[in-house]
Amino acid sequence: MSHTKIKTIFIGTSDFGIPALRALAKDKQFEIIAVITQPDKPTGRKQILTPPPIKAEAEKYQIPIFQPEQIKNLQTEISAQGECASGAKNLKSDIIIVAAYAQIIPEEILNLPKYGCINIHGSLLPKYRGAACVQAAILNGDGQTGVTIMKMDKGLDTGPILWQDKINIESRDTAGALYEKLSRLGAKILPIVIKKYIAGVIKPIAQDNARASYVKRLKKQDGLIDWAKSAVEIERFIRAMAPWPSA
């Protein structure tokens, strides 16, 4: 591995990606040239305009931040920011890291970086492709789950796998607690995996689509308890729905 820095763009929104962004920012082999996140949104009863958690983290490291309404308009957003965006002007990077962004990344962006776009996903793919992957593992009574570092393609979590790491699901784990554990696990392995991938030590391995399962994004009404279910299923459901949408 040469001593030239790995020019990196980080795309994420929720706090799931914070440990990963922090790990890359503190690693001298990475140079984060831009962070792309969702626009600030009104939250709470008073509808106070609040930045996404990733934006607040990026500001600590003085990384240029872009918040397009739609990521397909990213180039327009960068051009509009002028001088302060000079480092990210043409989006030329070695790699793009994506963690819980909540928008589909268009193919023209996936194909921009030299080594492609890498996603941190909170399940052992091809199991639980999609949004509510952490909740699904608890709901289904799985004994283990984990993190998948994968190379993105135009499908939903269908790209080839670079690395997976497993953890046990404890009997008292809520989705919130498991989410935090997976977030930290992803951050711990990400820099090592990226360096090995760029050095050619790790080769992407295609997923077995025959074993794939999908989980949809949760809505508030998904928290309604079905009392016809067994006590074991209801107990799992309550843990899976905490902290949101809550049972």
Side-chain angles (χ1 to χ4, degrees):
M1 180 100 219
S2 71
H3 292 299
T4 52
K5 292 199 171 205
I6 301 164
K7 278 196 183 316
T8 306
I9 291 173
F10 192 95
I11 303 181
T13 300
S14 77
D15 49 7
F16 184 79
I18 287 177
L21 177 59
R22 201 176 284 152
L24 295 174
K26 290 179 175 176
D27 190 313
K28 290 185 168 54
Q29 274 191 266
F30 292 89
E31 181 194 350
I32 305 175
I33 57 170
V35 163
I36 296 148
T37 188
Q38 302 271 17
D40 296 4
K41 297 236 163 75
T43 52
R45 215 169 271 176
K46 294 187 176 172
Q47 291 290 282
I48 295 160
L49 202 62
T50 309
I54 283 290
K55 179 182 180 180
E57 188 65 24
E59 282 171 342
K60 295 179 191 171
Y61 302 102
Q62 284 138 7
I63 302 163
I65 298 159
F66 304 98
Q67 297 176 272
E69 284 286 346
Q70 296 291 328
I71 194 162
K72 62 176 189 280
N73 304 328
L74 180 60
Q75 202 64 68
T76 318
E77 179 98 4
I78 286 173
S79 305
Q81 287 200 24
E83 273 314 293
C84 70
S86 56
K89 195 165 275 168
N90 52 13
L91 288 176
K92 279 272 185 289
S93 65
D94 294 314
I95 206 153
I96 291 179
I97 306 294
V98 183
Y101 177 57
Q103 271 189 43
I104 299 287
I105 314 280
E107 218 171 342
E108 61 266 24
I109 291 178
L110 292 179
N111 296 332
L112 275 171
K114 187 174 172 184
Y115 297 101
C117 282
I118 304 299
N119 183 35
I120 311 165
H121 185 77
S123 83
L124 297 169
L125 290 171
K127 200 175 192 182
Y128 309 141
R129 293 173 177 173
C133 51
V134 178
Q135 292 88 343
I138 295 174
L139 271 177
N140 295 326
D142 296 355
Q144 282 190 320
T145 185
V147 166
T148 302
I149 311 283
M150 56 167 282
K151 191 171 180 193
M152 294 172 77
D153 60 17
K154 60 183 180 180
L156 176 67
D157 301 325
T158 52
I161 292 167
L162 298 181
W163 197 264
Q164 290 186 318
D165 223 334
K166 295 177 181 176
I167 56 168
N168 292 328
I169 300 174
E170 305 298 331
S171 61
R172 298 181 75 92
D173 275 342
T174 60
L178 195 53
Y179 181 91
E180 264 182 52
K181 288 180 191 177
L182 293 169
S183 168
R184 291 197 300 270
L185 178 63
K188 186 175 148 192
I189 62 176
L190 180 72
I192 304 160
V193 172
I194 298 302
K195 289 175 205 172
K196 285 186 173 179
Y197 165 57
I198 287 175
V201 177
I202 290 175
K203 303 284 184 217
I205 296 166
Q207 291 187 42
D208 178 0
N209 290 323
R211 290 175 47 240
S213 56
Y214 287 87
V215 285
K216 63 180 178 57
R217 190 179 300 284
L218 290 173
K219 300 189 183 75
K220 189 65 188 159
Q221 60 265 36
D222 291 325
L224 290 171
I225 296 171
D226 177 357
W227 295 105
K229 293 204 157 139
S230 71
V232 169
E233 288 171 307
I234 291 170
E235 188 272 342
R236 276 188 212 144
F237 181 83
I238 290 167
R239 287 190 290 118
M241 296 300 123
W244 197 91
S246 85

